[in-house]
Amino acid sequence: MATPAHADIVTCDRDTTPQGWHSVCSREPEDGDPGGVSGTAKHYHVAAGSRAQNYFKAKGENFHLRNSTGYAAIFSAWYYRDGQWYQFFEGVRLGGHDTQTINKSLSENRRVSIQACVQGRGCVSNDDLRS
């Protein structure tokens, strides 16, 4: 899924990445789920036109994972409750050209963090989202 035109670009948490690899995060505070904030964590290579993207859709608590990098990618997601982070899923591995949707259930207005990592090419995470 591409980043919607009405999405706000936000600061990503990322590790050091090799030359040519970039990260971008976005959030959609008006996504059809009152109080919910959808968004992406995307790690991509401009010249190759490839990306690993974790997209969280607050309405329905769905995670849309996409990897078109040609390398293995690892995806994770957490939610925040009672002062600590809990794992939705961690280490979901997709091959070089795969997609997957993961459906979860979560009470409203919980903080959500998502991550996308490309093997040997770095990671990006976005923890500015809400269920």
Side-chain angles (χ1 to χ4, degrees), residues 75-98:
F75 300 89
S76 302
W78 303 268
Y79 64 94
Y80 193 77
R81 184 183 74 207
D82 301 327
Q84 70 182 54
W85 288 98
Y86 293 90
Q87 183 178 324
F88 262 134
F89 58 88
E90 188 169 37
V92 172
R93 183 183 176 100
L94 294 183
H97 299 283
D98 290 331

Side-chain angles (χ1 to χ4, degrees), residues 13 56 63 76-90 106 109-115 125-131:
D13 291 323
F56 170 68
F63 298 86
S76 302
W78 303 268
Y79 64 94
Y80 193 77
R81 184 183 74 207
D82 301 327
Q84 70 182 54
W85 288 98
Y86 293 90
Q87 183 178 324
F88 262 134
F89 58 88
E90 188 169 37
L106 183 65
N109 206 29
R110 298 262 185 222
R111 285 181 60 199
V112 173
S113 179
I114 57 176
Q115 183 180 63
S125 55
N126 181 352
D127 57 1
D128 199 17
L129 310 174
R130 290 204 170 270
S131 62

